Amino acid sequence: MTDIQQTVYVVEDDEAVRDSLELLLKSDGKSVETFENATAFLKEYSDKMAGCIVLDIRMPGMDGMELQKKLNDKHSILPIIFVTGHGDVPMAVDAMKEGAVDFIQKPYREEALLEKIEAALAQDREQRKSLDEKQEIIRRIKTLTPREHEIMDRMIAGQANKVIAIELEISQRTVEIHRSRVMHKMGTHSLAHLVRMVLSVKDLIDAR
Amino acid sequence: MTESDSANSEITVLLVDDNPQNLKVLYETLKDKGYRLLIANEGEKALDLAHRHHPEVILLDIMMPEMDGYEVCQRLKANPETADCAVVFLSALDDLQAKVKGFSLGGADYISKPFQSLEVIARVKTHAQVIRLERQLQARNRELQSDQTRILNSISEGIYGLDERGNIEFVNPAAALIVRSSVDELIGRNFFELHFPDASEAADLPVHATCQQGVAENQRNIPMSRADGTSFPAEYRATPKLDNEELHGAVVVFRDITADLENEAALEEAQALVQEQRDQLAHTSRLTTMGEMAAGFAHEVNQPLTAITNYARVAKRIMSKQDAPDITLLGETMDKIEAQSHRASEIIRRIRRFVKKPATGKEVLSVPALLEDTRQFAEVDMRNNEGGIELLLPESLPDVMADPVQVQQVALNLIRNALEATRSADVAEPVKVSASLDGAGTVRVQVRDHGVGLPPDAEDNLFLPFYTTKSDGMGIGLATCRSLIQAQGGDIGFDRPEDGGACFYFTLPVAGEGTGSAAADGAR
């Protein structure tokens, strides 16, 4: 799996804050993209975006909370760090309930901000990695033939080859061949790993 | 005195002759003619009778032993009490010299001896009538004079009649009372020396120009010395005394205004207290507004501070690159820091100016500049409000005369109310703030929103203290606004636009125009 480029998306209406934050993050070696309001970000948004969002909670027009809701509607998994002013803590709490990873009060210390950004990026990586893994599992599952899929389900359910053979009215030898193909296609040698892999994507498969 | 005599219309005639025969003839001639007749046979006696009875007519023989008629006449004329009687000389000396001498001594007429009784009767009658009329006239004059005196005496203001050098010719009792002296002592003294003993330059003295150049004067709160050396604040009017355009000094009417000044001071003190309380209330109201806007201001100040912090970190990073620090980038970053700190201090300056405790006082103000400043101020609140504020200003607008802090307070209050009404109604229409020149020499500022509008009882109550339509309002905002605008000589009110919302306005007098034209009309 290749490491994808993570970007910090800064959504901030104040030009000076936006500009200074961009310089700061770039000088720390981050990839940064800035947006002067929520609408502009929403227009650019795609699920290919990786990284995190640094989002000002108060903005004219669509505010940070509204943007968060709209992104949730789009199943965005981009972690959001809310930037709040003095006295906006209740708003920040609401934002956290909606799934924001963190919030930071203006004016903030650089270390604190970078720490939170790093944490968000790590979370994004994790999420993305696990999502990638799951998608890989699903992709592999999709390569199985219906017979192989059926046999895998029975394997996971803990049925022995003999039982599978009797129930499906095929030879035990045929079951063994299917079984080895399933293990091969799913890229594992261990039944326990196979079980874990399939269970981890169960919700995704069921959702389809 | 002689009033009773003349009132009786009884005329007294004194006959003076050393010759009893002559006296008898005269007596016989004039008796039964309605006169009271007195007789004297020598000068001394004649003078004594004249003194006691004030005869209208004296028939006086010239040639008498002891004191002759000329001397009697002279002494009669020399005494004011007897000077007005008509002396008719009787003499055998029918020469011109004697007649001329008689007239020159004040004689009224001349009858030659031996006299004709008809002539005597006719002359006595004529002179008696003349004297009677004269005496009546004089009595009437005295009456008039005493009337005038009574008037002058009863006036509570002091009155001086001065000659052109300022010497006091007339004083009324009130004047004497005010300057703690007496009428008699004041007459003849010099007005300037008495009342302005410390003055160095005579030409600058009060009343001086009136005495010398005939210029009327009217001054107030002039310190005037009293006769006893104390002094008092005076108000006076000096009018030139003219006689056929010739200047004869001045009449000065003056009074002690100590009590007036005390009353005025008390009134001013009361007004100052009212003003102070109004300022206090306005200040409280401003602080309340600031309190309501505190979160917005904190945010507003935090923005540049955040940027400064970020830029400073960036600058440090640039410097820490020891091989090749990018000096150009560092300079740019420093410039940005500077710009942001100016921005922060500008916000703080604006807040401080707004909450400044005593209002700065009226000055010539540009309404567009003030409204622009107020708009930026109000936008602190607006971050959560849709719609925004739209300024509609004419190309040119005359400056107004008003207190900038107080006007801004009113404008801010109206704009914030409008924003809140807009938000409550959940509409996107911006609040429109406009200014225009009114017909009545005032500039009218209007704040129009499309918000929730006004309650039906607004006309009666909106500007009353403690009336509020807001659940968390104190109800001092608009009451304070009205008090502030009225203090500027302007008016405040509102309309209900047909298409909803509310329209508040206030007016301010144009600078340089009479303040009276724009006087508050609180009836709206």
Side-chain angles (χ1 to χ4, degrees):
Chain A
M1 197 173 69
T2 53
D3 234 11
I4 43 137
Q5 172 70 52
Q6 285 186 304
T7 300
V8 181
Y9 301 97
V10 175
V11 186
E12 164 67 59
D13 66 306
D14 190 276
E15 203 218 320
V17 175
R18 199 167 64 234
D19 178 65
S20 63
L21 196 51
E22 182 177 7
L23 281 181
L24 180 70
L25 295 176
K26 278 184 174 164
S27 73
D28 193 51
K30 302 274 184 302
S31 158
V32 184
E33 272 185 51
T34 62
F35 302 86
E36 66 174 15
N37 57 51
T39 314
F41 179 77
L42 212 53
K43 224 171 98 188
E44 292 288 312
Y45 173 78
S46 88
D47 57 8
K48 298 279 183 295
M49 285 178 165
C52 69
I53 307 173
V54 176
L55 179 55
D56 195 346
I57 208 160
R58 275 181 186 244
M59 283 183 294
M62 190 194 301
D63 67 21
M65 301 281 291
E66 280 175 73
L67 177 60
Q68 181 187 30
K69 288 197 182 81
K70 291 222 159 71
L71 289 174
N72 282 349
D73 290 346
K74 288 177 183 282
H75 303 292
S76 163
I77 58 161
L78 280 173
I80 298 176
I81 299 167
F82 273 106
V83 179
T84 71
H86 175 77
D88 290 334
V89 175
M91 272 172 98
V93 171
D94 286 346
M96 296 296 280
K97 284 181 190 157
E98 292 290 325
V101 287
D102 213 340
F103 69 93
I104 187 164
Q105 250 187 34
K106 258 190 229 178
Y108 37 72
R109 279 171 48 248
E110 180 205 19
E111 291 83 357
L113 179 68
L114 288 179
E115 213 170 87
K116 286 173 198 287
I117 287 176
E118 286 304 346
L121 290 178
Q123 182 180 329
D124 178 63
R125 265 197 305 276
E126 296 267 307
Q127 285 176 348
R128 213 158 287 280
K129 196 172 140 210
S130 96
L131 194 66
D132 285 350
E133 281 169 2
K134 285 176 185 175
Q135 263 153 5
E136 178 63 17
I137 293 164
I138 290 167
R139 193 188 61 76
R140 284 176 189 239
I141 290 172
K142 280 182 180 163
T143 63
L144 301 179
T145 64
R147 178 59 88 183
E148 285 164 359
H149 204 292
E150 191 175 13
I151 289 176
M152 184 182 75
D153 286 348
R154 287 172 185 271
M155 283 160 68
I156 290 166
Q159 290 182 348
N161 285 356
K162 195 160 73 183
V163 178
I164 297 170
I166 294 165
E167 286 193 1
L168 293 180
E169 295 177 352
I170 52 175
S171 72
Q172 203 168 321
R173 174 69 192 152
T174 309
V175 173
E176 272 165 19
I177 292 166
H178 280 310
R179 184 176 176 131
S180 102
R181 283 212 187 114
V182 167
M183 294 302 266
H184 179 73
K185 282 183 177 175
M186 293 305 289
T188 183
H189 302 289
S190 140
L191 178 60
H193 188 207
L194 179 71
V195 171
R196 269 215 314 277
M197 279 200 292
V198 175
L199 284 181
S200 78
V201 299
K202 195 174 181 298
D203 52 337
L204 290 177
I205 295 168
D206 291 349
R208 295 196 175 185
Chain B
M1 293 288 281
T2 58
E3 271 117 331
S4 57
D5 292 354
S6 56
N8 288 342
S9 83
E10 186 178 298
I11 288 171
T12 305
V13 180
L14 171 60
L15 312 172
V16 188
D17 202 317
D18 61 328
N19 183 334
Q21 192 58 43
N22 281 349
L23 280 177
K24 191 167 185 272
V25 173
L26 285 171
Y27 188 85
E28 290 297 327
T29 306
L30 291 170
K31 76 168 185 187
D32 305 331
K33 294 286 181 290
Y35 303 126
R36 183 158 72 116
L37 296 174
L38 302 171
I39 289 168
N41 58 3
E42 54 162 15
E44 265 329 317
K45 205 170 172 188
L47 286 174
D48 181 50
L49 284 172
H51 223 87
R52 281 194 281 138
H53 299 284
H54 301 283
E56 276 75 13
V57 182
I58 299 174
L59 299 182
L60 180 59
D61 187 24
I62 294 174
M63 303 293 276
M64 288 188 293
E66 311 281 324
M67 193 188 296
D68 68 6
Y70 295 133
E71 196 185 339
V72 173
C73 180
Q74 238 172 344
R75 287 176 61 175
L76 283 171
K77 294 292 168 190
N79 187 332
E81 292 209 16
T82 53
D84 71 337
C85 61
V87 174
V88 178
F89 285 110
L90 304 167
S91 181
L93 298 172
D94 190 14
D95 62 277
L96 190 63
Q97 286 266 310
K99 284 182 187 172
V100 170
K101 188 173 182 191
F103 284 118
S104 76
L105 290 173
D109 209 343
Y110 203 95
I111 299 175
S112 301
K113 287 182 193 173
F115 32 71
Q116 308 294 315
S117 52
L118 283 178
E119 187 190 356
V120 171
I121 292 165
R123 287 190 195 267
V124 166
K125 189 181 173 192
T126 305
H127 288 294
Q129 261 173 3
V130 169
I131 295 303
R132 222 183 86 195
L133 287 174
E134 244 173 50
R135 286 190 176 168
Q136 279 174 358
L137 193 63
Q138 276 175 4
R140 184 77 195 119
N141 272 347
R142 276 195 295 275
E143 235 171 81
L144 283 174
Q145 261 180 358
S146 69
D147 270 357
Q148 283 180 351
T149 309
R150 267 199 297 277
I151 289 167
L152 289 178
N153 288 356
S154 60
I155 288 175
S156 63
E157 290 174 308
I159 300 174
Y160 276 140
L162 306 179
D163 70 11
E164 60 271 34
R165 294 208 314 281
N167 294 323
I168 298 170
E169 293 178 323
F170 172 84
V171 185
N172 76 339
L177 201 66
I178 293 169
V179 306
R180 295 182 187 164
S181 182
S182 68
V183 171
D184 291 344
E185 273 173 44
L186 290 168
I187 295 278
R189 292 197 62 178
N190 185 276
F191 174 80
F192 303 117
E193 288 166 12
L194 178 64
H195 293 307
F196 305 98
D198 303 328
S200 50
E201 197 65 45
D204 297 338
L205 283 171
V207 191
H208 201 266
T210 314
C211 282
Q212 305 251 303
Q213 288 143 44
V215 186
E217 279 180 29
N218 191 349
Q219 291 207 71
R220 197 165 192 277
N221 202 0
I222 300 295
M224 236 170 111
S225 292
R226 294 193 185 93
D228 61 7
T230 59
S231 79
F232 64 98
E235 178 178 26
Y236 74 87
R237 275 191 325 279
T239 317
K241 219 160 57 175
L242 292 169
D243 187 10
N244 282 332
E245 305 200 357
E246 199 184 322
L247 187 60
H248 288 285
V251 173
V252 182
V253 179
F254 68 101
R255 61 194 190 90
D256 181 347
I257 57 168
T258 307
D260 288 24
L261 292 179
E262 277 166 8
N263 288 343
E264 280 164 25
L267 186 63
E268 265 173 40
E269 208 173 295
Q271 280 170 340
L273 193 65
V274 168
Q275 179 65 41
E276 195 183 305
Q277 283 171 347
R278 176 163 51 206
D279 287 350
Q280 199 68 45
L281 187 62
H283 184 233
T284 307
S285 167
R286 286 202 294 277
L287 290 179
T288 308
T289 304
M290 286 300 100
E292 288 165 9
M293 295 173 80
F297 279 121
H299 182 88
E300 209 63 12
V301 176
N302 266 340
Q303 300 285 55
L305 292 184
T306 302
I308 288 168
T309 313
N310 291 343
Y311 284 134
R313 282 296 181 159
V314 171
K316 270 180 101 173
R317 286 250 171 82
I318 296 167
M319 288 191 298
S320 68
K321 286 185 183 164
Q322 289 185 340
D323 43 343
D326 186 339
I327 299 297
T328 315
L329 185 59
L330 187 62
E332 281 171 15
T333 310
M334 291 303 190
D335 286 345
K336 285 175 178 174
I337 289 176
E338 199 183 347
Q340 289 307 307
S341 59
H342 281 315
R343 179 183 160 196
S345 64
E346 176 61 27
I347 296 161
I348 290 162
R349 188 188 60 80
R350 193 180 290 154
I351 297 170
R352 290 187 56 158
R353 197 176 49 192
F354 187 76
V355 297
K356 191 154 44 170
K357 193 166 179 195
T360 46
K362 289 183 191 180
E363 56 186 70
V364 176
L365 269 191
S366 157
V367 171
L370 186 97
L371 290 180
E372 175 54 39
D373 200 37
T374 310
R375 182 178 67 87
Q376 291 183 21
F377 218 100
E379 275 175 353
V380 163
D381 261 4
M382 227 180 56
R383 291 172 66 86
N384 290 329
N385 287 333
E386 306 303 322
I389 302 164
E390 202 177 297
L391 273 188
L392 303 164
L393 299 167
E395 295 261 314
S396 69
L397 199 63
D399 287 344
V400 298
M401 187 54 127
D403 181 315
V405 174
Q406 299 192 339
V407 175
Q408 183 164 57
Q409 180 173 1
V410 173
L412 182 63
N413 204 313
L414 296 185
I415 291 172
R416 291 187 71 234
N417 281 349
L419 285 172
E420 196 172 324
T422 302
R423 185 173 49 196
S424 300
D426 206 13
V427 290
E429 195 80 17
V431 169
K432 290 195 178 71
V433 180
S434 59
S436 59
L437 182 61
D438 230 356
T442 58
V443 168
R444 180 185 171 102
V445 177
Q446 202 161 291
V447 179
R448 167 86 167 94
D449 67 63
H450 289 81
V452 290
L454 297 162
D457 63 346
E459 275 78 0
D460 295 330
N461 300 322
L462 206 53
F463 289 99
L464 294 182
F466 309 117
Y467 173 87
T468 182
T469 59
K470 300 176 198 167
S471 54
D472 56 348
M474 286 233 299
I476 58 170
L478 285 175
T480 305
C481 284
R482 180 161 75 172
S483 149
L484 291 178
I485 285 299
Q486 286 178 347
Q488 315 300 318
D491 190 13
I492 187 167
F494 62 88
D495 297 323
R496 297 172 185 272
E498 279 176 16
D499 54 340
C503 181
F504 280 82
Y505 65 85
F506 61 87
T507 62
L508 294 169
V510 168
E513 299 212 356
T515 45
S517 66
D521 167 19
R524 309 194 69 138

